[in-house]
Amino acid sequence: MSTVIPADANPAAGATVVITHRVRENKQTEYERWLEEIAPLCKASPGHLDWHIVRPIPGLTGTFTIIIRFNTETHLREWMESPTRARLIEKVRPLLMTDDDFFISSGLDFWFTPAGAKAKVPVRWKQYLVTWSAIYPLALCVPLVVTPILQDISIPDNRLITTLVVTGVIVFLMVYVVMPRYTRVVQRWLFR
């Protein structure tokens, strides 16, 4: 079963899919081999940006979560609906306890497992603390770098322009640099 957010009006907004697979007991090794087969094909697809696997934590969860980002929702949907992926999903079905479950989004919610997925979802207060602790240092440091650059390129000292550029840089760093790595670092605490 899949949960899909309607296509965004902006085709260049980028998109993320969160796939959850509950693997049968004693089938993890075979599933890992399957991941080694599908990953290079996905990564070679047009528009592919990023691929992360959150493996099960023994005794806590038995779910593999795969987070894949593409530059456009169109490219993501092309991969998700491709005959290659369909063939490989059929191949892995005997290893799964449930169906191929995925959630497509073009928003910020890819940082955490979506509520529609079968994977364990971190509590909201932990999501809040992780997001806040990532934004706080960026909010302190980014203006110290951006403001002198704007002055060097002769952009007038205007609070609206500076705030626009600073927030743009912070959001870019959060989406593409900080959160994908940070959530991996704190995943044990996040999902405890």
Side-chain angles (χ1 to χ4, degrees):
M1 181 189 150
S2 64
T3 304
V4 181
I5 300 289
D8 192 313
N10 178 4
T16 301
V17 63
V18 178
I19 304 166
T20 55
H21 287 156
R22 291 188 57 217
V23 178
R24 294 184 187 281
E25 204 170 317
N26 301 321
K27 296 294 183 181
Q28 283 84 4
T29 303
E30 291 174 61
Y31 183 81
E32 289 281 357
R33 280 196 296 269
W34 176 82
L35 284 174
E36 290 172 6
E37 181 180 357
I38 196 170
L41 298 171
C42 176
K43 292 175 182 179
S45 295
H48 176 268
L49 296 174
D50 209 3
W51 166 287
H52 295 285
I53 300 172
V54 180
R55 288 177 169 77
I57 300 169
L60 186 61
T61 176
T63 302
F64 282 80
T65 303
I66 303 142
I67 303 162
I68 309 169
R69 292 188 300 150
F70 278 78
N71 64 344
T72 66
E73 188 168 342
T74 301
H75 282 140
L76 173 59
R77 289 182 186 279
E78 285 171 3
W79 164 250
M80 293 301 291
E81 297 166 6
S82 71
T84 301
R85 184 176 187 280
R87 176 182 56 80
L88 288 167
I89 291 299
E90 284 306 311
K91 181 177 180 178
V92 81
R93 278 193 205 284
L95 307 179
L96 304 179
M97 293 176 65
T98 57
D99 201 10
D100 176 46
D101 185 33
F102 63 88
F103 177 91
I104 295 175
S105 177
S106 57
L108 300 177
D109 52 353
F110 71 88
W111 290 340
F112 306 102
T113 306
K118 291 182 178 75
K120 187 172 181 178
V121 179
V123 293
R124 287 265 186 215
W125 68 267
K126 287 185 178 183
Q127 293 180 35
Y128 163 78
L129 287 177
V130 168
T131 305
W132 183 28
S133 66
I135 289 176
Y136 179 70
L138 292 175
L140 290 175
C141 297
V142 169
L144 298 175
V145 174
V146 169
T147 303
I149 292 172
L150 291 176
Q151 291 169 350
D152 287 347
I153 59 174
S154 301
I155 301 291
D157 187 19
N158 180 309
R159 184 173 180 208
L160 293 175
I161 293 172
T162 303
T163 302
L164 176 70
V165 175
V166 165
T167 56
V169 171
I170 289 173
V171 170
F172 176 85
L173 291 171
M174 286 290 289
V175 171
Y176 292 103
V177 179
V178 176
M179 288 306 279
R181 290 160 182 82
Y182 189 30
T183 53
R184 259 185 289 155
V185 169
V186 298
Q187 82 177 20
R188 283 189 183 269
W189 173 80
L190 193 58
F191 289 94
R192 192 169 350 138

